[in-house]
């Protein structure tokens, strides 16, 4: 066996949604790796969208090489053949997958080609009925075959080890924050979102699904002081239910629905505070973006969130605690200096502990271990 170092060439593979935390992580990581001199390529499995897909367009705007694998929902053989061709063409030494489909369907292709396999586990929804639980079980089983598994929080790492993934192959690597462009200042951001300049606004950003608990922020907002407005950025299966809830609680006239907003992170200074209400999380990108923006944060203490912010950086409440969340929202308005101090502390933490450079280097270390393990297995 040669002692010569193996060249590092990374292919990131995912089936992207138009927007989301996972997509933001891949974009930030790929750009950081490219800037650090790593040969990196991104592949997007898409069924019907092309270069106009928001994720693809964002990568191309940053000059990142992107390949679209245009396959239908169950065309698994065609998809695997396309992945094999891409790995061969790029000379990949690492396939880094993100999400259920590439973890389960595509990673075995790389292993057959003796390419090291690494996956990032961004978290689980904790629901989805029988079908969702089956998919989660299959994905956790698939993790056991990877050369390295990256968990975005220490808590998630423990869950993966408990699920049977080899402890020496699971690495806790928190997500990093990188301002992809400057944050818009408050007035500019408010004009972009159509928010009155003098309004006191709590912002909520995410997919409107069960695990993100948009209904909880609606209930808490309704229970908070009457001087607030609520702005929700995102869409999803619970949107209509939440719209109906605002009407039944008598607050519909103080709620703005922005829908899906491309690249919402630079607009977060529009808000007087950001609320995160999830039942389950990894390390959410909207939290890191709010920290970087210096906006007061009220959040549930779930998943990897307490590893990124403590009481000196944010108001932390228990998941589902509507009264506690309402009180925390009111406290931000009642004691603005204390809220500003927490926000400034969170911003400093984002700029130091969560910087991209060390995050990229940590990934390089994980890749080196994975490639060495794959080489020994030959």
């Amino acid at each position: 066996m040669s002692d010569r170092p193996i060249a590092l060439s990374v292919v990131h593979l995912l089936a992207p949604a138009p927007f989301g935390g996972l997509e933001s992580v891949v974009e930030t990581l790929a750009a950081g790796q490219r800037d650090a001199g790593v040969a990196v390529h991104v592949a997007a499995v898409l069924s019907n969208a092309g270069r106009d897909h928001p994720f693809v367009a964002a990568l191309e705007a940053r000059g990142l090489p992107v390949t679209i694998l245009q396959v239908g929902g169950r065309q698994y053989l065609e998809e695997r053949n396309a992945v094999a061709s891409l790995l061969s063409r790029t000379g990949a030494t690492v396939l880094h997958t993100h999400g259920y489909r590439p973890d389960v369907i595509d990673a075995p292709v790389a292993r057959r080609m003796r390419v090291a396999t690494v996956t990032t586990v961004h978290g689980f929804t904790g629901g989805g009925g029988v079908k969702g639980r089956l998919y989660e079980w299959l994905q956790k089983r698939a993790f056991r075959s990877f050369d390295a598994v990256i968990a975005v929080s220490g808590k998630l790492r423990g869950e993966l080890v408990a699920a049977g993934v080899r402890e020496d192959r699971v690495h806790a690597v928190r997500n990093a924050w990188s301002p992809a462009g400057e944050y818009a200042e408050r007035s500019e951001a408010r004009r972009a979102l159509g928010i009155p300049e003098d309004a006191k606004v709590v912002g909520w950003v995410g997919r409107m699904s069960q695990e993100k608990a948009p209904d909880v922020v609606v209930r808490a907002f309704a229970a908070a002081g009457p001087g607030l407005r609520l702005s929700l950025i995102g869409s999803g299966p619970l949107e209509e239910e939440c719209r109906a809830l605002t009407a039944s609680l008598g607050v519909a006239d103080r709620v703005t629905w922005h829908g899906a907003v491309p690249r919402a992170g630079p607009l977060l200074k529009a808000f007087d505070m950001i609320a995160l209400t999830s039942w389950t999380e990894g390390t959410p990108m909207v939290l890191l973006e709010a920290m970087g923006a210096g906006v007061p944060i009220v959040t549930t203490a779930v998943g990897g969130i307490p590893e990124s912010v403590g009481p000196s950086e944010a108001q932390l409440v228990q998941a589902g605690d509507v009264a506690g969340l309402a009180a925390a929202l009111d406290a931000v308005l009642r004691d603005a200096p204390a809220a500003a101090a927490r926000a400034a502390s969170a911003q400093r933490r984002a700029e130091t502990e969560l910087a991209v450079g060390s995050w990229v280097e940590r990934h390089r270390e994980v890749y080196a271990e994975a490639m060495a393990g794959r080489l020994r297995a030959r």
Side-chain angles (χ1 to χ4, degrees):
M1 183 184 299
S2 172
D3 293 329
R4 186 173 60 187
I6 310 169
L8 178 58
S9 175
V10 182
V11 169
H12 292 279
L13 179 63
L14 68 161
F19 316 102
L22 182 152
E23 291 74 19
S24 179
V25 168
V26 174
E27 179 187 341
T28 302
L29 179 56
Q33 290 173 330
R34 185 267 316 274
D35 294 344
V38 176
V40 63
H41 198 100
V42 182
V45 179
L46 297 170
S47 58
N48 51 27
R51 297 285 165 187
D52 57 345
H53 188 281
F55 175 71
V56 173
L59 292 171
E60 292 188 329
R62 299 183 72 164
L64 289 162
V66 188
T67 293
I68 296 174
L69 305 182
Q70 196 91 44
V71 293
R74 293 175 182 257
Q75 293 176 312
Y76 301 134
L77 181 59
E78 180 181 343
E79 180 175 334
R80 287 171 171 168
N81 288 340
V83 170
S85 176
L86 175 65
L87 295 177
S88 178
R89 175 167 58 83
T90 58
T93 54
V94 173
L95 175 67
H96 190 155
T97 56
H98 305 262
Y100 169 81
R101 182 170 183 136
D103 284 348
V104 175
I105 303 300
D106 301 317
V109 175
R111 284 190 281 272
R112 287 196 295 271
M113 297 176 67
R114 298 183 176 181
V115 173
T117 54
V118 177
T119 182
T120 293
V121 185
H122 298 267
F124 299 102
T125 63
V130 174
K131 186 177 181 180
R133 289 192 294 272
L134 174 62
Y135 284 172
E136 186 173 308
W137 180 83
L138 288 172
Q139 190 176 18
K140 287 179 177 177
R141 292 280 296 182
F143 293 153
R144 301 179 186 182
S145 299
F146 277 81
D147 298 298
V149 177
I150 294 173
V152 298
S153 72
K155 182 177 185 297
L156 184 55
R157 179 184 186 276
E159 293 174 2
L160 293 171
V161 171
V165 185
R166 278 177 47 174
E167 187 170 8
D168 62 329
R169 293 189 181 180
V170 188
H171 309 265
V173 183
R174 281 186 297 171
N175 290 332
W177 164 78
S178 174
E182 296 294 326
Y183 287 98
E185 290 305 319
R186 176 187 170 93
S187 294
E188 180 186 352
R190 289 201 162 199
R191 283 195 299 271
L193 293 172
I195 296 174
E197 186 64 32
D198 59 349
K200 296 295 183 182
V201 183
V202 53
W204 185 96
V205 182
R207 175 171 163 75
M208 294 189 182
S209 51
Q210 186 271 335
E211 73 277 7
K212 299 294 186 181
D215 56 313
V216 172
V217 78
V218 169
R219 294 182 187 280
F221 165 72
L228 272 176
R229 291 191 60 86
L230 174 63
S231 279
L232 297 109
I233 293 178
S235 59
L238 292 188
E239 181 175 349
E240 289 307 314
E241 177 182 322
C242 288
R243 284 178 179 269
L245 183 60
T246 63
S248 67
L249 294 173
V251 295
D253 61 334
R254 293 192 285 128
V255 178
T256 303
W257 305 84
H258 299 281
V261 176
R263 310 187 69 77
L267 301 176
L268 294 187
K269 287 188 177 183
F271 305 122
D272 295 281
M273 66 196 84
I274 295 290
L276 289 85
T277 52
S278 302
W279 290 100
T280 178
E281 278 291 358
T283 302
M285 288 304 294
V286 66
L287 172 69
L288 307 188
E289 290 169 339
M291 292 170 69
V295 178
I297 298 165
V298 176
T299 180
T300 50
V302 299
I305 290 176
E307 298 173 30
S308 298
V309 290
S312 62
E313 291 96 17
Q315 296 264 53
L316 296 166
V317 300
Q318 294 302 306
D321 182 1
V322 171
L325 184 63
L329 298 178
D330 283 335
V332 172
L333 292 184
R334 187 173 61 251
D335 193 346
R342 286 192 296 271
S345 179
Q347 188 174 45
R348 288 192 295 273
R349 192 167 180 180
E351 292 170 347
T352 54
E353 294 182 28
L354 304 175
V356 166
S358 57
W359 185 55
V360 168
E361 184 55 34
R362 185 72 182 96
H363 278 81
R364 193 194 293 265
E365 294 169 358
V366 173
Y367 294 157
E369 286 189 35
M371 289 190 296
R374 179 54 48 184
L375 190 62
R376 287 193 297 270
R378 291 183 180 181

